[in-house]
Each structure stands twice: as structure tokens, then as C-alpha cells.
Amino acid sequence: MKRLGLFGSTGSIGENVLNVVRHNPDAFEIVCLTAHHNVQKLADQALEFRPQSVCICAEEHAGYLKEKLSGTSIRITHGHTGLVDLAREESFDMMVGAIVGSAGLLPTIEAIKAGKNIALANKETLVVAGEIVNHLLEKHKVDLIPIDSEHSALFQCLVGESSDSVKRLILTASGGPFLHTPVEEFETLTVESALKHPNWNMGAKITVDSATMMNKGLEVIEAHWLFRMPSEKIDIIIHPQSIIHSMVEFVDGSIKSQMGLPDMKLPIQYALTYPGRIQNGYESVDFTKYNRLDFYQPDTKKFPCLRLAYDALKAMGTMPAVLNAANEMAVSKFLKREIGFNDIPRWIEKAMNAHSIHPDPSLDDVLEADRWAREFCSGEIKT
Ligand code: NAD
Ligand code: MG
């Protein structure tokens, strides 16, 4: 029985993790659940899975949660401090990192320091502080298994291979909802159209990231830290069907890919059962239905976020943290209809140009860069 601490249980990944646990009640036990605002869903999940503790980050909902969970022995904590304490103190074997954004960084770091293995969906943690996280993983002898479908694919292709034999990693990208939209229309794209992803049903932030293709940019940085590959060895290819989840080309020219239907339950289950695999009743790929797989070069002029992410990775230091924080701010303003679609890369580029990079940052330096970029972007919106 693997004991799981599920951080971000009310989101799209969180709910899929709980679906995997429901399918395998003898394999997994939920030890804690956490949410930001959605207290109703958190309470329902807690009543179903009976964890030892829950954390509601928005403190104003703690009273409601107490009421809903009265008569149970579930411990209730709240706030960001409650979240970080839970990551450190609660007795789970594996943290499932399903929080969105850099808010997931500190809980993940505390869980690693406490010697807990990590199944990570929260890519922003690696974008912001990949080097620091890798150092801690080594120091505390902790495994981190990716949940992000492309990285799960790369991870699976790399099992049993040495890094010397890798020629390049090939990340596949669906291209998002605007793959075929003329760039002239980008200035007036609506929130509704950006939230219509062709293949995946995900949280709002990552869905907008897929529309700007920043998601793929963040994934290049994520792959860099997970597999310790330089950016020159990480390529992106557009593959609109999302059946090939990514590929590895080896020095002999041989290419391995991992395939499956676009369903996050598969990479989630793999991260939870690695190095083993278990059966499930999920639908498998019918190649007569998917009898055509297409591939295109990504267009970095049309999707400048891709270029910005590669630039941030080359600049290194605190630049990826600034890229990420400016993106989080811009996407949140776009979702509130306060800025347009093209303002997202504009803001990010402005923040990156204005940032004085710290070449070898500590955790505090990274947090400070994140704070600085958010403040910079708030100033931008005022002007
Ligand atoms: P979501 O918005 O659906 O859910 C986010 C979760 O994080 C919720 O439980 C929410 O309560 C919690 N949360 C949000 N802000 C928080 C804060 N400030 N403090 C504490 N908790 C907070 O997001 P999602 O789509 O499930 O994505 C989660 C992460 O997984 C993201 O990093 C995303 O990039 C990554 N990811 C998602 C998918 C997917 O299919 N949804 C695929 C690959 C990777
Ligand atoms: Mg992905």
C-alpha cells in the first residue's frame, strides 16, 4: 500500500489522481488532501477518502471545512504555512504535486527535505528552481517521477538507457487551439476560444499556456532539469493528434516513442506504480481510428513564448523564475479579460528585459525574482 499526499486535489490533475486511486483501492491510500479555494470539493473528497489531514489554503474557508468534517478525526490545517507544514510533517510515502504555479515550490521542497518521493505534475516548480530541486533530490536520496505526459513519455523511453547514448529529446506538442489561426487574428482572441483545447481537458492556466505555447516552453525547461539535457538537445515537434507523447532519439539514429490516448490517468498511474505497471480498464489506442499521425515545425514567430522560454533557459539563473512569474501574472490578467492575448508574451518579454539576472541563485533569490516579476507586471497593468 503506497501512502499518498495529494497537493492540489481539487484541480484537473488532482481529480484524475483520485480516479486512479478509486480504481486501485488496494494499492494506494490518501493521507492528505489540499486545495486553494474550492472548499466544497475538498470536503467531499475528504469524506470519501478519509485522509489523516486536509489543508485549505484560503483561510477564510477553514470554518466551513471544520463544520463539514465535524464528527470525523480528519485534522484541518489552513493557509500557505499549513500547506508547507503538511508537506514536511504528514506521514505519506509519496507527494503528488498537482498544485498549479510556483505556489507548489515550497511544499515540494519541504517534502523532498523530509525524504518523501515526488510524483510531479507541477512543472512550474522545476522551471523556477530546477537546479535547487535537483540538488535536494540528490542530497536526500529522493526520486522524482514526472506526471506531465511528455516527460512521462521521455522517462519511459529512457528506462534502461544511459544518458551518453541520447542524441536528443523530442517533445511533442498538440499546437493548441490556435495552431491554424492566422496570426493577424491573435490581437483579438477571446478567453473562451483560448480555453477550448482540442485534445486535453485541463485547468484554465495550463490551457491558456497551451494556446500561447508557453506550456511547451515551460516543458523544455522542465525536461532540461529532469533529464539534465542542454537546450540544444531538446526539440519540439507539433503533433496535433497527441498520440505520440514524446520521443527520444539515440546516437545510433534509433528513435523510441511512448504512445497512448490523451488521458492523464496513464502518466499519473505510471508515476504512482513505477517501476512496476498495473492493469486498468482504460480504453487503448485503436490505430484504425488514428490511422494518420501528422508532424510540423513549431512557428516561433507566431508563438513568441517558445522563443522566450528557450531564451530564459539559455540565460539561466533567475531568468526562468521571471519568465514563469510574468507568465502566471499575464495569464491571470488575460483570464480576467484585463489584457489581450498578445499582451501575454509582451509582458513576459518586458519583464525579462528589465530583470537583472542572478547567475547562481539560492532559494531566497529565486523567490525574490518571482516576487519582483509579479510586482513589475502589476506596475505594467497600472500604466
Ligand atoms: P487546476 O487549476 O485544475 O488545479 C490546481 C490545483 O492547485 C487546485 O487543487 C487548486 O486548489 C490548487 N491551487 C491553485 N493555486 C494554489 C495556491 N496558490 N496555493 C495552493 N494551492 C493552489 O490545474 P491543473 O490543470 O490540475 O494543473 C496542475 C499542475 O499540473 C500545473 O502545474 C499544470 O501545469 C500541470 N499539468 C497539468 C496537466 C493537466 O492535464 N491538467 C497536464 C500536465 C501538467
Ligand atoms: Mg504536458
Side-chain angles (χ1 to χ4, degrees), residues 123 148-151 206 215-216 219 222:
K123 64 192 81 183
D148 210 349
S149 56
E150 296 77 2
H151 305 74
I206 184 178
N215 184 48
K216 210 51 54 182
E219 290 185 354
E222 181 185 14

Side-chain angles (χ1 to χ4, degrees), residues 310-331:
Y310 273 103
D311 286 351
L313 180 54
K314 286 203 185 89
M316 218 25 106
T318 40
M319 199 55 100
V322 167
L323 169 95
N324 178 71
N327 181 55
E328 285 190 35
M329 282 293 282
V331 170

Side-chain angles (χ1 to χ4, degrees), residues 156-195:
Q156 293 181 57
C157 293
L158 288 166
V159 167
E161 304 284 356
S162 82
S163 62
D164 296 347
S165 52
V166 175
K167 186 167 169 194
R168 60 179 179 138
L169 308 179
I170 308 166
L171 284 169
T172 53
S174 70
F178 305 136
L179 178 60
H180 302 296
T181 308
V183 71
E184 301 74 45
E185 292 174 25
F186 274 30
E187 204 66 61
T188 53
L189 288 174
T190 63
V191 172
E192 289 70 24
S193 60
L195 287 178

